[in-house]
Amino acid sequence: MVTKRSPKPVPRRAAAKRKPKHELTIFEKIVERGKRIPPEELARHPPDFAMNFHHYMHGHPKQDPD
């Protein structure tokens, strides 16, 4: 009696990851994430938050815009 062996399975190579045409810089990634913040969430933050970060986070004296 002759038995047929099935051929050994050939391992498949993982599909090569395609690189995007233009890799985003860290600053572009930050801007893209910032666009996803809902407007109502942005409205909750004070308009001078960047200037007075240390005031809001640590209680330092508030700076006046010049």
Side-chain angles (χ1 to χ4, degrees), residues 26-45:
I26 186 68
F27 301 109
E28 290 170 330
K29 289 178 183 179
I30 291 170
V31 169
E32 288 299 316
R33 286 190 178 207
K35 289 178 183 177
R36 289 189 257 162
I37 300 173
E40 57 272 6
E41 185 66 28
L42 286 175
R44 291 181 45 206
H45 295 286

Side-chain angles (χ1 to χ4, degrees), residues 3-56:
T3 59
K4 288 187 175 181
R5 287 187 178 177
S6 58
K8 261 188 169 178
V10 178
R12 290 187 169 184
R13 288 183 157 184
K17 292 183 179 179
R18 295 182 182 164
K19 290 186 176 181
K21 292 180 183 178
H22 170 66
E23 186 71 29
L24 294 177
T25 65
I26 186 68
F27 301 109
E28 290 170 330
K29 289 178 183 179
I30 291 170
V31 169
E32 288 299 316
R33 286 190 178 207
K35 289 178 183 177
R36 289 189 257 162
I37 300 173
E40 57 272 6
E41 185 66 28
L42 286 175
R44 291 181 45 206
H45 295 286
D48 62 344
F49 184 73
M51 178 188 293
N52 289 304
F53 172 79
H54 293 288
H55 167 73
Y56 292 111

